[in-house]
Amino acid sequence: MTSASCPVPENLSLNYHLLHKSPAEDDLRHLIIDISRAAKYISYAIQTTETGLSGNTNQFGEEQLKLDVLSDDILRQHLCESGLVCCYISEEQKDVIELDSKAPYSVVFDPLDGSSLVDANFSIGTIVGIYKGDVIGKTPREQVAAMYVLYGPRTILVYSTGDGVHEFLLNDVGEYVLLREYLGIADNAKNYSPGNLRAVNENQAYKQVMATWMEEEKTLRYSGCMVADIHHIFSKGQGVFTNVGGSAYPEGKLRLVFECGPFAYLVEQAGGAASDGHVPILDKKITDIDMRTPLIVGSQNDVNSLAKVLAA
Ligand code: AHM
Ligand code: MG
């Protein structure tokens, strides 16, 4: 018998990258691949499903689109099939959902972030965080992986398992192929993405920093989907995204467990920062699945300068 070493493929697939270039153990690799498979079905559903309401509301009282429900079902199906998930927490479900108590991982996700933009044909996305064991009582720093999928003109997957942030393109035969490895975020932002800007009417500190950023002639980039807006930061290698509270949402609109936690993990892996204005998002203890948090995320110096003014 002769032995032949496997050639390094010209285009690195997600599976190849996870196997050879990430610290992920086999179970985690398989789970990420199963989630990436679910995202292909979500991508297809976005193109083919009508954009209307489902007639139901989620745990936050927000009306669900048919696509929100479908995306949630697709992820559930793939997590069930993986056999690797003890429980999951979804923006679209009221409780922690148990699957297989003996399985090693918990998965948190927003199946279709920014779905209200789908009729406008803007980019939307899926956000995922992965923990070993339970989630409640942990902090987002204890995630073992985080990833998102951006459904835009092209479908892009970005993941980290604790050794940098890596970006893949879904190609025409349904393979995720590597675009860029070790994405980095510079310390100073040239672009800004100010969410919940109405809060400047009640929050003088937020207003002051927004005025400063305008005087600095930062470039405005805000789409209304945080997956697209934070991907913009990864893509350009700098930028700052904010969602600060006002009277309607004192803690901001965004959710700690399945929106801010995964992005904080990814952004810190790329050399950026994520803060609630007082503490790093990664150090906030998860006590409830529906916790909201203010979010300032991206280039370190801009995150720190806004946090400093808000805290004063
Ligand atoms: P969703 O999970 O219901 O889609 O809401 C989250 C989205 C974020 O993607 C985005 O940053 C924010 O809501 C935008 O809120 P607003 O419409 O208030 O600007
Ligand atoms: Mg969301």
Side-chain angles (χ1 to χ4, degrees):
M1 193 163 75
T2 52
S3 71
S5 58
C6 298
V8 177
E10 203 173 311
N11 295 312
L12 299 193
S13 68
L14 177 61
N15 190 51
Y16 185 98
H17 202 270
L18 283 162
L19 182 58
H20 295 287
K21 303 192 111 195
S22 97
E25 54 191 46
D26 278 349
D27 277 354
L28 183 56
R29 172 167 62 93
H30 291 306
L31 178 55
I32 291 172
I33 292 294
D34 283 329
I35 293 167
S36 76
R37 286 173 50 232
K40 296 180 202 176
Y41 287 88
I42 296 173
S43 175
Y44 180 71
I46 292 166
Q47 292 168 45
T48 54
T49 309
E50 57 172 304
T51 59
L53 296 172
S54 69
N56 301 321
T57 55
N58 68 10
Q59 59 170 310
F60 301 96
E62 298 160 341
E63 285 188 311
Q64 292 172 310
L65 298 178
K66 287 178 186 150
L67 266 172
D68 289 319
V69 177
L70 191 53
S71 304
D72 194 52
D73 288 348
I74 290 169
L75 270 160
R76 180 197 175 96
Q77 186 60 38
H78 284 77
L79 298 184
C80 285
E81 269 178 41
S82 77
L84 292 165
V85 178
C86 54
C87 59
Y88 73 87
I89 303 174
S90 164
E91 181 174 307
E92 302 304 335
Q93 301 289 340
K94 291 187 176 58
D95 298 302
V96 178
I97 310 289
E98 290 195 15
L99 294 181
D100 175 355
S101 59
K102 292 188 212 69
Y105 296 107
S106 293
V107 180
V108 299
F109 58 86
D110 180 351
L112 205 54
D113 182 65
S115 56
S116 67
L117 300 171
V118 70
D119 55 356
N121 203 20
F122 276 27
S123 297
I124 55 182
T126 297
I127 313 167
V128 179
I130 302 175
Y131 292 79
K132 264 223 160 124
D134 293 336
V135 175
I136 302 297
K138 289 205 169 82
T139 65
R141 198 175 291 287
E142 293 173 81
Q143 289 169 108
V144 293
M147 60 196 283
Y148 63 85
V149 181
L150 174 66
Y151 314 102
R154 312 197 291 171
T155 295
I156 300 279
L157 181 150
V158 172
Y159 90 90
S160 178
T161 53
D163 179 28
V165 181
H166 315 295
E167 181 192 32
F168 295 80
L169 170 71
L170 181 62
N171 73 11
D172 285 345
V173 292
E175 185 77 79
Y176 292 95
V177 292
L178 182 65
L179 283 181
R180 291 184 282 188
E181 292 180 294
Y182 296 101
L183 299 180
I185 298 176
D187 291 345
N188 295 308
K190 290 186 263 184
N191 298 330
Y192 73 127
S193 193
N196 197 29
L197 202 51
R198 57 182 86 75
V200 299
N201 293 322
E202 306 150 54
N203 186 330
Q204 283 306 311
Y206 195 30
K207 188 172 187 170
Q208 180 190 326
V209 175
M210 290 308 115
T212 304
W213 287 354
M214 276 192 269
E215 280 159 23
E216 289 172 2
E217 300 190 350
K218 287 192 195 312
T219 301
L220 178 69
R221 287 289 180 268
Y222 186 79
S223 75
C225 168
M226 75 181 299
V227 179
D229 291 327
I230 299 181
H231 181 70
H232 192 272
I233 297 175
F234 282 113
S235 187
K236 303 299 180 191
Q238 52 75 23
V240 58
F241 173 95
T242 62
N243 193 297
V244 168
S247 58
Y249 301 113
E251 290 297 303
K253 179 185 176 185
L254 301 175
R255 277 64 50 141
L256 174 65
V257 177
F258 26 72
E259 292 176 326
C260 302
F263 272 120
Y265 181 93
L266 288 157
V267 165
E268 285 210 7
Q269 278 292 318
S275 170
D276 72 352
H278 299 279
V279 296
I281 296 290
L282 290 185
D283 292 329
K284 289 180 76 110
K285 194 166 178 177
I286 297 168
T287 52
D288 283 304
I289 66 172
D290 60 354
M291 294 167 75
R292 295 182 195 259
T293 177
L295 176 67
I296 312 159
V297 64
S299 294
Q300 295 224 8
N301 289 344
D302 298 271
V303 171
N304 293 339
S305 66
L306 175 54
K308 205 164 141 196
V309 177
L310 288 178

